[in-house]
């Protein structure tokens, strides 16, 4: 009588004796979605779509939807002007003037 059972061959538990396996390549993304960029910038999706449509955020239409290339987005972020405290004071003063309020600085 013959048996249909094959003998079990244990796996080699010593990693030095194991055959070399190719490590999987890490996949980096080429584009962000508008929702992802909105999250990164702490903006609403609607505001982000408006900036994309205006061309303020570098984007392109791909298959009927907007995508933001990662490299172009990062370069755009790196090249944004930095704001100083004086810039913020000027902006707040302009907003107050537009609202008809007079802003005086405390301690100045």
């Amino acid at each position: 009588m013959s048996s249909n059972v094959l003998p079990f061959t244990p796996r080699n538990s010593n990693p030095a004796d194991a055959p070399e396996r190719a490590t999987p390549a890490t996949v980096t993304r080429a584009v962000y979605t508008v929702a992802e960029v909105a999250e990164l910038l702490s903006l609403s999706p609607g505001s982000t779509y408006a900036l994309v449509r205006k061309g303020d955020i570098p984007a392109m239409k791909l298959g009927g939807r907007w995508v933001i290339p990662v490299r172009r987005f990062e370069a755009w972020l790196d090249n944004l002007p930095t704001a100083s405290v004086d810039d913020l004071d000027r902006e707040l003063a302009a907003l107050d003037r537009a609202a008809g309020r007079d802003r005086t600085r405390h301690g100045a």
Side-chain angles (χ1 to χ4, degrees):
M1 177 175 210
S2 75
S3 172
N4 291 343
V5 178
L6 298 174
F8 175 74
T9 307
R11 289 183 133 192
N12 193 350
S13 61
N14 186 357
D17 295 336
E20 288 189 34
R21 293 185 183 161
T23 56
T26 56
V27 177
T28 56
R29 296 187 52 195
V31 296
Y32 290 130
T33 65
V34 174
E36 289 169 331
V37 168
E39 181 77 21
L40 289 169
L41 297 176
S42 299
L43 296 173
S44 71
S47 296
T48 307
Y49 271 107
L51 292 169
V52 163
R53 284 188 204 103
K54 275 180 42 180
D56 291 341
I57 296 175
M60 58 193 238
K61 274 237 172 161
L62 185 66
R65 60 179 238 185
W66 287 103
V67 293
I68 296 91
V70 171
R71 287 185 191 164
R72 287 182 56 203
F73 178 70
E74 290 171 352
W76 174 78
L77 280 178
D78 290 341
N79 292 321
L80 285 176
T82 58
S84 68
V85 174
D86 293 334
D87 294 332
L88 181 59
D89 285 341
R90 280 193 294 276
E91 288 293 322
L92 290 172
L95 289 171
D96 287 340
R97 280 193 304 276
R101 293 179 285 196
D102 182 28
R103 175 182 288 265
T104 57
R105 290 179 66 166
H106 297 289

